[in-house]
């Protein structure tokens, strides 16, 4: 266009000067020829620039066509009725049909039947709003095309702002969808295994707060996900275990190390159960730390069994001490009865009163009561009476309210001094009395002055086979 304008100007100037060229001075003619030559050079330069520009435009057009046709996305132009008016090569590949055969065909039939509604709403939103819209749909299987595609569409407006066409880019997301399905299946398998495992499972994030508990956890605690997620689970930890539990967890977390601890957690029935919690750090495939995962085993039954075994061992030790002391004490009693004048006690001077009701006790309870009486009677004979002094010992056994009994051993002897040393209350005999009263699940009370009275309230034992 510039070249043609310059040429027209030069021709006009030449026509204007033709009539007078013969009469013009040689100098003016030479000047005119020079100007024409300069214009000629300018025209040639501009002509070369135009050719170069044309080559560049053609190269850019070819490059655009290559980019358009071989883009990883399928590009379509559709009219307002959804008919394809333009498509790149990739579009034909994605839909499994030659690009030329796409032109003039409606796009909707390429969409899977179940996703027709989604594509219809997508098209309507593009034409209604004129703004960028996206959606994900499946293509029909018989098209031989990818199963899942991603749409990104934008309306085309004319000079008056009216929508005349719309363009859309189509991406194959089948592999991504398959990966998501595999991930969902994997998560489902994890949740199924976690919810049916006989352990309590938890997970935490980078902030140390818990992000997951399995169903077994919620069944155990009787709480909800909303209550326990984050740090809410700690509300159920026994107050005596809380600080130790928190310290173990945070220190291991900061070091990214496994940990193991025992603590009590409140159960759905309000009681506390013992848990053995084992936590390990989680890492992503790239080695990045992602938090912790842990499992808890219920130790409550084991702890109860341990307590029962400990109690059984204590009972055996008590029984052994009981037997040992009983044998020893019986021997001492026999020896004492044979040698009362050594002890300075006249057996004729000591009166024994028995106020015992006609009661029926089980063997275990009766034997325990007998041993208690024997120990207290022996203690009274040894320590209650001065040499040559007369005295009285009273043994009383009565039934109280249902299942409860009262046993008293009373003497009118010297009583117990203020320092408690007169009756040697720390002796093995009195220690055994306390153990026997504990066995009866009873309570013992010492009353002194004048004399001494041992008052014992207890309930009858329920016989249990000894281990």
């Amino acid at each position: 266009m510039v070249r043609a304008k310059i040429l027209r100007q030069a021709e006009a100037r030449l026509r204007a000067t033709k009539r007078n060229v013969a009469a013009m001075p040689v100098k003016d003619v030479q000047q005119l020829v020079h100007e024409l030559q300069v214009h000629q050079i300018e025209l040639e330069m501009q002509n070369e620039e135009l050719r170069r520009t044309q080559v560049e435009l053609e190269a850019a057009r070819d490059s655009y066509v290559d980019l358009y046709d071989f883009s990883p996305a399928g590009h379509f132009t559709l009219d307002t009725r959804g008919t394809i008016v333009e498509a790149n090569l990739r579009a034909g590949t994605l839909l499994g049909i030659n690009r030329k055969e796409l032109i003039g065909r409606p796009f909707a039939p390429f969409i899977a039947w179940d996703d027709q509604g989604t594509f219809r709403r997508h098209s309507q939103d593009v034409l209604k709003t004129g703004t960028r819209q996206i959606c994900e749909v499946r293509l029909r299987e018989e098209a031989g095309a990818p199963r899942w595609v991603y749409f990104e569409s934008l309306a085309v407006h004319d000079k008056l702002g009216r929508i005349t066409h719309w363009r859309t880019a189509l991406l194959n997301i089948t592999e991504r969808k398959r990966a998501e399905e595999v991930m969902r299946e994997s998560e489902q398998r994890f949740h199924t295994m976690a919810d049916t495992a006989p352990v309590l499972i938890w997970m935490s994030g980078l902030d140390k707060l818990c992000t997951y508990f399995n169903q077994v956890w919620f069944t155990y605690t009787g709480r909800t996900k909303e209550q326990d997620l984050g740090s809410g689970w700690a509300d159920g930890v026994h107050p005596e275990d809380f600080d130790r539990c928190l310290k173990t967890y945070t220190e291991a977390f900061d070091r990214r190390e496994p940990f193991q601890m025992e603590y009590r957690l409140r159960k759905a029935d309000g009681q506390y159960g013992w848990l053995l919690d084992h936590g390990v750090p989680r890492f992503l495939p790239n080695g990045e730390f992602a938090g912790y995962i842990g499992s808890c085993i219920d130790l409550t039954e084991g702890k109860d069994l341990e307590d029962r075994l400990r109690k059984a061992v204590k009972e055996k030790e008590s029984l052994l001490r009981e037997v040992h002391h009983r044998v020893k004490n019986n021997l001492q009693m026999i020896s004492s009865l044979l040698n009362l004048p050594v002890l300075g006690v006249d057996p004729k001077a000591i009166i024994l009163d028995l106020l015992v009701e006609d009661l029926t006790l089980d063997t275990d309870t009766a034997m325990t009561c007998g041993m208690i009486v024997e120990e207290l009677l022996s203690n009274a004979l040894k320590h209650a009476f001065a040499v040559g002094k007369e005295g009285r010992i009273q043994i009383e056994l009565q039934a109280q309210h249902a299942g409860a009994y009262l046993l008293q051993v009373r003497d009118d002897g010297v009583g117990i001094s203020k320092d408690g040393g007169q009756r040697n209350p720390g002796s093995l005999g009195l220690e055994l009395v306390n153990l026997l009263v504990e066995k009866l699940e009873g309570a013992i009370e010492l009353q002194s002055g004048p004399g001494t009275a041992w008052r014992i309230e207890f309930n009858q034992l329920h016989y249990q086979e000894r281990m």
Side-chain angles (χ1 to χ4, degrees):
M1 182 180 294
V2 177
R3 176 185 175 187
K5 182 177 180 181
I6 295 174
L7 183 59
R8 287 195 298 270
Q9 289 177 349
E11 290 175 347
R13 185 173 182 181
L14 181 59
R15 285 195 299 271
T17 58
K18 265 186 178 181
R19 292 189 297 262
N20 300 319
V21 167
M24 290 175 61
V26 175
K27 184 177 179 181
D28 292 342
V29 173
Q30 292 175 341
Q31 179 65 31
L32 179 60
V33 171
H34 176 72
E35 290 178 359
L36 290 173
Q37 290 175 340
V38 170
H39 283 298
Q40 178 66 26
I41 294 172
E42 290 177 351
L43 288 172
E44 291 176 356
M45 292 176 62
Q46 291 176 3
N47 188 45
E48 180 62 27
E49 184 177 353
L50 287 173
R51 284 196 299 272
R52 186 169 60 252
T53 301
Q54 183 176 358
V55 170
E56 292 176 354
L57 288 174
E58 291 176 352
R61 183 194 62 193
D62 293 341
S63 177
Y64 169 77
V65 171
D66 288 342
L67 289 173
Y68 179 72
D69 281 339
F70 300 104
S71 168
H75 292 279
F76 297 86
T77 300
L78 296 86
D79 62 19
T80 55
R81 294 173 299 177
T83 302
I84 301 172
V85 297
E86 184 180 308
N88 68 345
L89 288 175
R90 181 61 176 166
T93 303
L94 286 173
L95 296 183
I97 190 171
N98 186 282
R99 174 172 64 170
K100 293 181 180 179
E101 297 179 12
L102 288 173
I103 308 304
R105 296 181 60 170
F107 197 96
F110 291 100
I111 307 299
W113 177 256
D114 292 342
D115 289 344
Q116 285 286 332
T118 301
F119 178 73
R120 188 183 308 111
R121 287 190 296 272
H122 175 78
S123 305
Q124 293 171 350
D125 290 342
V126 172
L127 297 175
K128 181 179 179 180
T129 66
T131 60
R132 173 178 172 271
Q133 301 292 324
I134 62 173
C135 74
E136 294 179 0
V137 296
R138 289 163 292 180
L139 299 179
R140 66 181 189 185
E141 295 182 2
E142 57 269 23
R147 186 65 174 151
W148 279 95
V149 290
Y150 166 86
F151 273 93
E152 184 170 337
S153 305
L154 188 64
V156 178
H157 301 77
D158 61 14
K159 294 181 179 179
L160 298 178
R162 296 172 299 189
I163 297 177
T164 57
H165 297 80
W166 57 289
R167 294 193 176 97
T168 185
L170 202 65
L171 282 175
N172 180 4
I173 60 171
T174 304
E175 292 302 319
R176 192 199 80 191
K177 284 291 185 179
R178 287 174 181 168
E180 290 176 355
E181 290 177 3
V182 171
M183 181 64 71
R184 281 194 297 270
E185 183 182 1
S186 176
E187 290 181 356
Q188 184 60 42
R189 285 200 305 269
F190 168 77
H191 286 290
T192 300
M193 290 186 294
D195 288 340
T196 57
V199 295
L200 288 71
I201 298 176
W202 57 270
M203 295 176 67
S204 63
L206 297 176
D207 54 2
K208 298 186 177 71
L209 300 179
C210 286
T211 58
Y212 170 81
F213 294 101
N214 68 341
Q215 185 57 46
V216 181
W217 176 285
F218 297 124
T219 302
Y220 186 89
T221 63
R223 290 162 59 88
T224 65
K225 180 187 300 184
E226 292 72 22
Q227 288 176 309
D228 278 354
L229 286 180
S231 59
W233 67 274
D235 294 341
V237 177
H238 195 285
E240 295 178 2
D241 301 335
F242 182 83
D243 291 339
R244 172 179 55 82
C245 179
L246 183 62
K247 183 175 184 293
T248 301
Y249 174 68
T250 55
E251 289 181 353
F253 197 102
D254 293 337
R255 294 193 299 265
R256 309 291 194 259
E257 294 178 353
F259 68 87
Q260 182 171 296
M261 62 181 174
E262 294 182 7
Y263 60 93
R264 285 163 289 181
L265 187 67
R266 189 168 53 246
K267 300 190 294 184
D269 61 3
Q271 302 297 316
Y272 283 94
W274 278 98
L275 295 180
L276 173 62
D277 195 341
H278 180 67
V280 293
R282 295 186 296 119
F283 296 94
L284 299 177
N286 62 3
E288 183 180 354
F289 175 67
Y292 266 70
I293 183 171
S295 61
C296 304
I297 301 175
D298 188 358
L299 297 179
T300 305
E301 291 186 4
K303 287 285 187 180
D304 290 343
L305 177 60
E306 183 180 333
D307 290 341
R308 290 197 298 270
L309 290 174
R310 187 181 297 111
K311 185 176 181 180
V313 170
K314 183 178 180 181
E315 287 181 353
K316 285 182 177 291
E317 291 176 349
S318 176
L319 180 61
L320 289 173
R321 295 180 65 187
E322 171 186 314
V323 171
H324 170 77
H325 187 72
R326 182 177 181 187
V327 172
K328 178 183 177 182
N329 199 56
N330 285 342
L331 293 175
Q332 289 177 341
M333 176 64 72
I334 294 172
S335 175
S336 297
L337 292 175
L338 293 175
N339 299 283
L340 282 178
V342 178
L343 295 175
V345 176
D346 182 359
K348 295 181 180 180
I350 304 300
I351 300 174
L352 181 64
D353 292 334
L354 295 178
L355 302 177
V356 179
E357 294 183 1
D358 186 10
L359 302 174
T360 300
L361 299 175
D362 65 81
T363 304
D364 211 16
T365 303
M367 289 182 61
T368 304
C369 288
M371 286 186 284
I372 292 174
V373 170
E374 181 181 336
E375 292 298 332
L376 294 178
L377 182 59
S378 174
N379 190 62
L381 290 173
K382 290 179 182 178
H383 304 291
F385 306 103
V387 177
K389 182 173 177 59
E390 295 181 353
R392 182 182 295 273
I393 298 177
Q394 184 183 80
I395 299 176
E396 181 181 355
L397 179 60
Q398 297 178 355
Q400 302 294 300
H401 52 82
Y405 300 89
L406 173 64
L407 172 63
Q408 288 193 113
V409 178
R410 181 188 303 273
D411 65 67
D412 57 357
V414 297
I416 296 178
S417 62
K418 293 182 180 180
D419 60 6
Q422 182 68 25
R423 290 295 185 87
N424 191 18
S427 69
L428 181 59
L430 295 182
E431 182 180 349
L432 179 58
V433 169
N434 287 323
L435 289 174
L436 293 172
V437 172
E438 181 180 342
K439 180 180 178 181
L440 290 174
E441 298 180 355
I444 185 170
E445 179 184 358
L446 172 62
Q447 298 176 345
S448 179
T452 301
W454 297 93
R455 180 184 176 90
I456 300 168
E457 294 181 348
F458 67 94
N459 294 309
Q460 184 165 200
L461 292 176
H462 296 289
Y463 178 76
Q464 294 182 345
E465 183 179 355
R466 293 187 182 273
M467 298 180 62

